[in-house]
Amino acid sequence: MLNGRKVLLIIGGGIAAYKSLDLIRKLAEKGAKVTPVLTQAGSNFVTALSVSALSGQKVYQDLFDLDAESEIGHIQLSRAADIIVVAPATADLMAKMANGTANDLASTLLLATDKPVLIAPSMNVQMWHHKATQRNLARLKGDGIHVVGPDEGSMACGEFGLGRMAEISDIIDSIQNVLWAGPLQSRHFLVTSGPTHEPIDPVRYIANRSSGKQGAAIANALLARGAQVTFITGPATADRPTGANIIEIETAAEMNTAVEAAGHCDAAIFAAAVADWHVVGAGQSKVKKTDSGALPQIEFGENPDILRSVSQRKTNRPELVIGFAAETDNVVENATAKRLKKGCDWILANDVSPETEIMGGDTNQITFISESGAEKWPEMSKFETANRLVNKIVEVLGDANT
Ligand code: CTP
């Protein structure tokens, strides 16, 4: 989830500094690269050796560390990261930040950076409630500094109240939220993906060749632009998009229920290859061969058309409803008619004739159909298709300020 993201972690001088070791470990588990900076006060609580061992990196401690200056200047150090995290952020560090003081490595880095900064304050409850700290906090928030915590609880000093550093999991969630800020932040998307399985009996089902790769690629492209994604998937082979709210379903009816339960969304993208029919009376008992050799009779019932019902909602219709059209003949004509019949805004039509190998394959060749007509896209990977689609979505729903 944080694969390859660079975190500059400033460890301030508070009892919670020991938790920063766990933070380093958890960030590393998520694929982040942590560059640690230990303040002088921080080194009273944790040793540079343990910080360095856990992060696998050199620990930066002194502004006038000539060795460090020859390797990497403090300006560069402050800008090479994707985010600066201060944990624990002491009252003193917050005061320095609020006043623009730069008299040690940590405060200088914080003044020199052009990257987002997240602080996790930690201090005695009285210090936290002190007018000076609250004044500094308001100023820092006004300066665009992100803040997580503090939490309420009993403290090392024996008092109880607000001042405990936020839980490590909350700090990590906040780091992710800050890094995910993008043109689709604060937008909620629904993506359906994969095939559905329609049971014949408890051991057999009717399925299709969808791998779920296109739906997962779209969800990843949305997440990369800061969107919140509810990802409703059938039993697909593709990896699930990390960071989405993932809902696993099996049948079209379950997918329909999950879509209805997902609540309001700004846009909905129906990439799933939903079965049009289910087997009526698919029961709990396995269908057995008969001695007479009579073949089983399968009766089909129609499944709910999820795309159509969302497109035609009278209330709570997403601003943008996007469907796919899997066609084998007259692709553009059929998909154009499908868009009107379903009532969706855009249709991505693809030719799923067996010779195209699109169903289950890694590439796609889309004709994009909207009110303005049909636009043929070149054959490209499902990843590139997703990015092209999501860039179009950003044109309609994106926040121009991000
Ligand atoms: N779809 C859906 N619910 C269904 C069937 C389809 O939400 N019960 C959605 C698919 O996710 C896709 C679009 O409708 O975005 C078109 O799917 P497609 O299979 O091409 O069309 P159908 O509506 O099933 O029509 P037909 O099979 O007759 O071409």
Side-chain angles (χ1 to χ4, degrees), residues 192 270-272 274-276 303-307 323-327 338 342:
T192 70
F270 294 88
V274 186
D276 290 321
N303 276 335
D305 188 327
I306 310 168
L307 171 62
F324 276 73
E327 307 290 344
K338 201 173 267 183
K342 304 251 190 191

Side-chain angles (χ1 to χ4, degrees), residues 45-63:
F45 295 89
V46 287
T47 67
L49 189 62
S50 47
V51 172
S52 156
L54 273 170
S55 63
Q57 300 288 323
K58 175 185 167 65
V59 181
Y60 293 88
Q61 287 186 273
D62 192 349
L63 183 57

Side-chain angles (χ1 to χ4, degrees), residues 348 364-368 375-380 384-386 388-390 392:
L348 279 76
N364 223 335
Q365 202 268 295
I366 295 291
T367 303
F368 175 85
E375 176 187 305
K376 192 166 177 179
W377 293 359
E379 181 170 346
M380 47 190 162
E384 288 166 318
T385 303
R388 184 149 176 174
L389 171 65
V390 172
K392 270 192 179 288

Side-chain angles (χ1 to χ4, degrees), residues 270-337:
F270 294 88
V274 186
D276 290 321
W277 308 285
H278 64 272
V279 175
V280 176
Q284 295 302 308
S285 309
K286 188 180 166 201
V287 178
K288 301 291 284 178
K289 278 185 286 196
T290 57
D291 292 339
S292 67
L295 296 174
Q297 299 299 309
I298 292 182
E299 190 194 335
F300 286 106
E302 197 158 334
N303 276 335
D305 188 327
I306 310 168
L307 171 62
R308 190 169 61 189
S309 68
V310 171
S311 298
Q312 297 182 4
R313 272 184 193 166
K314 297 275 179 283
T315 54
N316 211 19
R317 183 191 190 276
E319 216 174 301
L320 203 52
V321 181
I322 304 168
F324 276 73
E327 307 290 344
T328 49
D329 310 285
N330 304 324
V331 176
V332 175
E333 294 76 8
N334 283 343
T336 303

